[in-house]
Amino acid sequence: MTRRTRNRTAALLAVAAGSVWLTGCGSAPDEAEQTAAKWDTVDPCTLAQDDDLAPLLTQGLTDGEPVQGAGRTECTWGNLEQLNVVTVSLASAPGDDADTLRTVTVAGRTGSVLAESKYQCIVEFDSEDDGTLAIEAKFGLDAVATPDSSCDRVEPLAEQSLSRLAWNA
């Protein structure tokens, strides 16, 4: 069983257990009642699925590789040799005090674009109480064929990740 399969299986079991519990309570909560997840309670490898990654990983989908660090967890997908990589990070606080190039609004939450070119995008979403979500995409050789020089390509992944964290504003 691959790590991706184990992660999905664990996530599905958690959802199923929650559904069974909620069914016993009478009704499922609507999205507004969903509790936001804290940064250190979520496996970042569960925040991106194949459909979210496919438009960004032109060299083929891979299993996510988790990395743990002090005050930060992350998961990386892609082909480092081809410079085609996506990293989703969760942290207790925003990254370094990099200058914000511009802001984007995704799922009702304002994010800071920290790097943006046809080769790379870094966007960060801060939740004062719950932590920080950062998404970094390196487009590598695909940048020549797809010269989209904005972080717009990353927004669908950001929207799904924020939704899975229940960090929608």
Side-chain angles (χ1 to χ4, degrees):
M1 183 182 292
T2 67
R3 180 173 295 135
R4 184 183 319 186
T5 305
R6 282 193 306 269
N7 287 343
R8 283 192 181 153
T9 302
L12 289 172
L13 288 173
V15 169
S19 296
V20 169
W21 180 79
L22 289 172
T23 301
C25 293
S27 66
D30 59 34
E31 286 185 31
E33 295 176 14
Q34 205 173 16
T35 303
K38 296 281 189 192
W39 75 271
D40 58 348
T41 63
V42 177
D43 175 358
C45 291
T46 64
L47 297 179
Q49 296 179 0
D50 290 352
D51 290 345
D52 308 323
L53 295 166
L56 304 172
L57 295 175
T58 58
Q59 300 300 313
L61 297 173
T62 62
D63 287 339
E65 293 293 326
V67 176
Q68 297 273 329
R72 179 175 215 79
T73 61
E74 64 185 35
C75 192
T76 300
W77 297 264
N79 186 323
L80 188 56
E81 292 79 26
Q82 297 292 321
L83 301 174
N84 187 214
V85 178
V86 174
T87 302
V88 174
S89 303
L90 292 169
S92 59
D96 57 16
D97 293 325
D99 291 331
T100 299
L101 299 175
R102 68 182 179 101
T103 60
V104 294
T105 302
V106 177
R109 185 169 296 278
T110 301
S112 299
V113 174
L114 305 178
E116 182 172 44
S117 73
K118 70 179 184 178
Y119 298 107
Q120 178 186 32
C121 168
I122 301 174
V123 63
E124 192 172 84
F125 297 88
D126 185 36
S127 172
E128 301 80 28
D129 299 328
D130 303 314
T132 299
L133 167 70
I135 298 175
E136 179 177 5
K138 294 181 182 176
F139 303 117
L141 300 178
D142 181 51
V144 176
T146 310
D148 181 352
S149 61
S150 70
C151 285
D152 295 345
R153 293 174 69 181
V154 175
E155 286 185 19
L157 170 59
E159 182 175 2
Q160 291 303 314
S161 296
L162 288 166
S163 177
R164 289 177 184 120
L165 287 166
W167 285 11
N168 304 35

